[in-house]
Amino acid sequence: WCISCSSVELDVDLHFDEDMTLGQKIKLGENVTAALRKMACPSPLQPHQVRGLDFAALFPVFQWLVKHVLATREARGAQIRRYSELKFTASSVMPPDEEEAQQLQRSQPLIRRVREAYQHPRQFRQREGGR
């Protein structure tokens, strides 16, 4: 389950069944080791270690896989949170932002009057035709 939850694109069959033949178990072990190589697992693992349940060799791989899955879930959660915040800000207005927009709208006439009152007087006449 860790390999499938790690969000790494793999083109291997990792389906396990209790009634697998020896050949199918060997193929599954080869698929697991190929998947771990594609995921850049720091601990080397051989197919016979998977099939023979060599726990001394499997334990560091399990630790790395669980850490990798937790990091993937955390990154995916952060990505989904950023996306949801983006969608929320695009469609919703927070009350402080709405109050600020209303205050700016109410202050526009005052700003216009102040600009007109303190506008720099023109010293030269503008030519006819705008140039």
Side-chain angles (χ1 to χ4, degrees):
W1 65 269
C2 283
I3 293 174
S4 61
C5 290
S6 63
S7 75
V8 175
E9 288 190 30
L10 301 171
D11 190 24
V12 292
D13 182 25
L14 298 175
H15 176 71
F16 178 78
D17 189 16
E18 291 290 331
D19 301 326
M20 295 176 85
T21 64
L22 181 63
Q24 291 172 332
K25 289 180 182 178
I26 291 172
K27 184 69 175 169
L28 178 65
E30 290 172 355
N31 287 344
V32 167
T33 56
L36 290 172
R37 273 190 226 109
K38 285 181 184 178
M39 293 173 63
C41 179
S43 301
L45 195 64
Q46 299 297 321
H48 67 85
Q49 291 172 320
V50 174
R51 194 178 70 73
L53 297 177
D54 183 5
F55 291 112
L58 291 173
F59 186 68
V61 175
F62 292 154
Q63 285 181 322
W64 178 80
L65 276 172
V66 170
K67 287 178 185 176
H68 187 69
V69 167
L70 292 176
T72 302
R73 285 182 178 179
E74 187 176 318
R76 174 77 47 93
Q79 180 184 14
I80 290 172
R81 181 168 182 85
R82 285 192 309 268
Y83 180 74
S84 63
E85 287 174 355
L86 174 72
K87 288 296 185 180
F88 178 77
T89 57
S91 63
S92 301
V93 179
M94 297 297 289
D97 295 338
E98 188 176 344
E99 290 172 9
E100 185 178 329
Q102 289 175 354
Q103 185 177 5
L104 182 64
Q105 190 175 15
R106 287 191 307 257
S107 64
Q108 286 297 326
L110 176 64
I111 292 172
R112 202 172 301 115
R113 284 195 313 255
V114 169
R115 281 188 181 158
E116 290 172 1
Y118 293 101
Q119 184 177 13
H120 188 68
R122 185 179 283 280
Q123 293 180 352
F124 304 102
R125 276 194 251 166
Q126 195 173 13
R127 292 183 185 174
E128 291 184 22
R131 288 192 171 190

